[in-house]
Amino acid sequence: MMALGRSGGTVLLLCLSFLATVTAESPYRFYDWNVTYGDIYPLGVRQQGILINGQFPGPDIHSVTNDNLIINVHNSLDEPFLISWNGVQNRRNSYVDGMSGTTCPIPPRSNYTYILQVKDQIGSFYYFPSLAFHKAAGGFGGIRILSRPGIPVPFADPAGDYTILIGDWYKSNHTDLKSRLDRGRKLPSPDGILINGRSNGATINVEQGKTYRLRISNVGLQNSLNFRIQNHRMKLVEVEGTHTLQTMFSSLDIHVGQSYSVLITADQSPRDYYVVVSSRFTDKIITTTGFFRYSGSSASASGPIPGGPTIQVDWSLNQARAIRTNLTASGPRPNPQGSYHYGLIPLIRTIVFGSSAGQINGKQRYGVNSVSFVPSDTPLKLADFFKISGVYKINSISDKPTGGGLYLDTSVLQVDYRTFIEIIFENKEDIVQSYHLNGYSFWVVGMDGGQWKTGSRNGYNLRDAVSCSTVQVYPKSWTAIYIALDNVGMWNLRSEFWARQYLGQQLYLRVFTSSTSLRDEYPIPKNSRLCGRARGRHTRPL
């Protein structure tokens, strides 16, 4: 356990009070993080990075289903800071989701203690800084949620378990990139690709004959990436908390924001082998290498670097369709994942989201259904709690593309709690897009080229579609998802193409219920920071 630092005693009492009231006897883990600037050299030039406890990337979070995570974050930067938890659902508690629409920023030289519970979740995820363009400077790290003892896992314990963070990277400081976007200009193509913060030389150490788990997350800013290891095949076993059919792949497309978990057996002669990550669907293919190093290896990696797919969309689409849920495996609970028959539940509503791109006042902007999101001066969730009018309008975005011109607004769409809905993502552009929904996991029931029509449902996978929180939409294509709206709150839905997210391609789903029961939603945490028009108000004690 780690000391909580500034105001530690008070924060600890608040945390324990929260745990006793909300999570009963669930185990808890304490983390104490200091967020600082520091010099980093991932592409061979000095940059201003964002470090957590001096580390780039940041430290992993290791947890078990239902654990409580008490994470005290000290902001030693000179600007406000927030961390969000990609894939962690924060059930009934969107106040701690770490997005600008839910959580007040941590001011410079201040701290805030996140109180999270990884309720009914397993799998591989990551955290990242959500404000400004901090993600381009670091501040991210892996999250793993293990199954509770006694819950069956559909594979033997691996000899080792590695977090592999891959992503495209710029040589420019994040402040320069942000300034360029603020002036209404697009970003150039990234300069390189990192594996665990390194452009070359990242190493995975193994012993011959043993099997290892790799938790691979694309924490980059825009590019889909292909991951492969020379002369080795990977067995996909989990995607963002869902145990999958155990399919073998020579390489995997991992789109921005996604997390995949594979098993790989060290079944070759003991030497070094290339680990290769390369960009997909880009005019210029960017490639970086690391090493899969056998114990006792005396031979360097040799031969040509193994090639991978480059611009082929059909190859990636077919691979995506091959990723399916293992219906007989347990998830976070003992019952099989296939016991929830999502394909038999009637749909209450269909929502269609189409991406938008254009100029507003001479500056580049992006949006969804013609609305380019602008943050409010007060987190939307706090405006809800304190009933502050004028912060945003409910249904300020249409649930279908309007075909009109792009305009600015704080886009919020209300959906009803405990309903079952369909969302169609339409992509009429020439790029691969990737969307993430906080607070939820959804079933990816279909994806194809062209225009979605009601008849497209005839091709849906209504039996064993993978359940995840991030999904790609191919160029000139659509992707369909089903969601059970069982998590009350204000939840960010965004493009994972980070410049597009920053310039407006996001919105919030307000999952609404008139109930005030703790069974539906927790009240605002007592230690919540208050900002904007919520400043000076009082939180209700838990």
Side-chain angles (χ1 to χ4, degrees):
M1 298 296 178
M2 300 181 182
L4 284 178
R6 240 173 308 181
S7 304
T10 301
V11 171
L12 179 58
L13 289 174
L14 289 170
C15 294
L16 294 179
S17 172
F18 182 92
L19 295 173
T21 304
V22 172
T23 60
E25 298 302 320
S26 299
Y28 54 91
R29 300 168 188 264
F30 289 92
Y31 297 86
D32 196 62
W33 288 354
N34 187 30
V35 180
T36 62
Y37 295 124
D39 289 342
I40 58 174
Y41 300 80
L43 294 180
V45 297
R46 187 172 72 176
Q47 293 177 259
Q48 182 187 68
I50 293 179
L51 315 181
I52 297 179
N53 291 350
Q55 298 179 45
F56 170 76
D60 274 4
I61 293 175
H62 291 195
S63 61
V64 176
T65 301
N66 293 345
D67 276 359
N68 298 283
L69 308 179
I70 314 303
I71 307 172
N72 190 30
V73 179
H74 303 265
N75 179 14
S76 297
L77 308 182
D78 58 5
E79 57 185 327
F81 185 78
L82 267 182
I83 293 179
S84 191
W85 322 93
N86 219 64
V88 175
Q89 293 176 9
N90 293 315
R91 299 197 64 79
R92 294 185 281 172
N93 192 17
S94 60
Y95 295 104
V96 297
D97 203 43
M99 301 298 295
S100 66
T102 61
T103 314
C104 287
I106 308 169
R109 298 173 298 282
S110 299
N111 72 306
Y112 175 68
T113 301
Y114 290 89
I115 306 170
L116 317 176
Q117 188 186 25
V118 289
K119 179 69 173 173
D120 289 335
Q121 286 193 264
I122 57 168
S124 310
F125 310 99
Y126 67 92
Y127 61 86
F128 68 96
S130 61
L131 293 185
F133 215 61
H134 291 156
K135 192 181 179 188
F140 45 73
I143 301 173
R144 64 182 65 174
I145 309 173
L146 302 179
S147 297
R148 289 173 291 168
I151 303 296
V153 176
F155 48 86
D157 288 342
D161 195 332
Y162 289 96
T163 294
I164 309 294
L165 304 177
I166 60 176
D168 48 20
W169 196 258
Y170 288 90
K171 292 180 179 178
S172 300
N173 283 337
H174 73 284
T175 50
D176 296 329
L177 298 174
K178 177 180 178 296
S179 176
R180 184 183 178 109
L181 293 172
D182 289 341
R183 295 196 304 272
R185 300 172 60 193
K186 295 181 180 181
L187 295 184
S189 297
D191 297 304
I193 295 172
L194 306 186
I195 305 173
N196 286 349
R198 302 182 62 176
S199 59
N200 284 290
T203 301
I204 303 169
N205 293 304
V206 300
E207 294 184 22
Q208 190 178 33
K210 294 185 178 181
T211 298
Y212 297 83
R213 183 173 185 171
L214 309 183
R215 301 173 186 264
I216 313 164
S217 295
N218 185 341
V219 299
L221 299 174
Q222 69 182 65
N223 284 330
S224 300
L225 300 175
N226 184 267
F227 182 92
R228 53 200 182 271
I229 297 179
Q230 184 183 26
N231 293 357
H232 291 77
R233 286 170 62 80
M234 298 172 288
K235 181 186 292 184
L236 184 67
V237 294
E238 177 252 329
V239 173
E240 295 177 352
T242 297
H243 287 133
T244 62
L245 291 178
Q246 296 183 9
T247 306
M248 301 297 294
F249 294 102
S250 298
S251 70
L252 271 174
D253 276 358
I254 304 175
H255 304 277
V256 63
Q258 291 181 334
S259 296
Y260 285 10
S261 192
V262 302
L263 297 178
I264 185 165
T265 299
D267 56 4
Q268 300 295 306
S269 59
R271 63 178 182 88
D272 289 2
Y273 296 86
Y274 288 117
V275 176
V276 185
V277 182
S278 58
S279 61
R280 291 284 271 123
F281 318 113
T282 54
D283 293 333
K284 178 184 177 182
I285 304 302
I286 309 171
T287 302
T288 194
T289 57
F291 300 105
F292 195 69
R293 176 164 295 158
Y294 281 65
S295 176
S297 168
S298 58
S300 301
S302 61
I305 294 173
T310 53
I311 61 172
Q312 304 91 334
V313 171
D314 286 347
W315 186 97
S316 188
L317 176 61
N318 290 333
Q319 183 177 84
R321 288 172 172 165
I323 299 173
R324 295 172 179 254
T325 295
N326 184 338
L327 297 179
T328 61
S330 296
R333 299 186 179 188
N335 48 301
Q337 294 179 137
S339 60
Y340 191 96
H341 301 288
Y342 68 90
L344 301 179
I345 303 174
L347 292 171
I348 299 300
R349 184 178 184 183
T350 294
I351 297 170
V352 182
F353 288 133
S355 61
S356 308
Q359 298 267 319
I360 297 180
N361 298 325
K363 294 184 177 183
Q364 181 66 46
R365 295 289 301 187
Y366 301 94
V368 178
N369 289 359
S370 300
V371 184
S372 184
F373 182 87
V374 288
S376 61
D377 62 359
T378 304
L380 311 176
K381 188 59 187 169
L382 295 188
D384 265 3
F385 179 79
F386 291 114
K387 296 180 171 54
I388 304 171
S389 62
V391 174
Y392 74 93
K393 293 181 180 178
I394 295 173
N395 297 327
S396 48
I397 180 173
S398 170
D399 65 1
K400 302 285 190 299
T402 64
L406 198 62
Y407 64 95
L408 302 174
D409 204 346
T410 302
S411 38
V412 177
L413 183 68
Q414 181 163 298
V415 290
D416 292 332
Y417 180 49
R418 289 181 175 164
T419 59
F420 196 78
I421 70 169
E422 172 187 44
I423 293 180
I424 313 300
F425 295 105
E426 288 187 343
N427 180 15
K428 296 183 179 180
E429 301 182 62
D430 292 324
I431 62 170
V432 175
Q433 304 218 34
S434 183
Y435 286 92
H436 178 87
L437 176 60
N438 282 16
Y440 279 92
S441 187
F442 47 72
W443 291 273
V444 183
V445 294
M447 54 177 63
D448 208 346
Q451 181 80 26
W452 181 87
K453 301 176 182 177
T454 56
S456 302
R457 295 189 181 117
N458 296 330
Y460 280 6
N461 177 359
L462 299 182
R463 182 173 181 270
D464 62 354
V466 70
S467 178
C468 55
S469 56
T470 314
V471 69
Q472 72 273 23
V473 192
Y474 292 102
K476 308 290 186 182
S477 300
W478 56 266
T479 293
I481 64 175
Y482 281 2
I483 311 176
L485 294 173
D486 59 358
N487 195 12
V488 174
M490 189 75 71
W491 303 107
N492 185 245
L493 191 159
R494 63 180 175 272
S495 170
E496 288 285 357
F497 191 136
W498 214 240
R500 296 177 74 108
Q501 177 273 154
Y502 180 75
L503 293 179
Q505 194 171 327
Q506 59 171 306
L507 64 123
Y508 282 83
L509 288 183
R510 184 179 189 253
V511 182
F512 175 74
T513 178
S514 58
S515 168
T516 58
S517 169
L518 281 176
R519 294 176 60 87
D520 294 332
E521 184 176 27
Y522 300 141
I524 186 171
K526 193 174 180 180
N527 70 326
S528 289
R529 284 191 169 276
L530 301 180
C531 56
R533 282 178 260 178
R535 195 185 308 275
R537 298 176 185 247
H538 298 285
T539 60
R540 183 170 63 207
L542 290 175

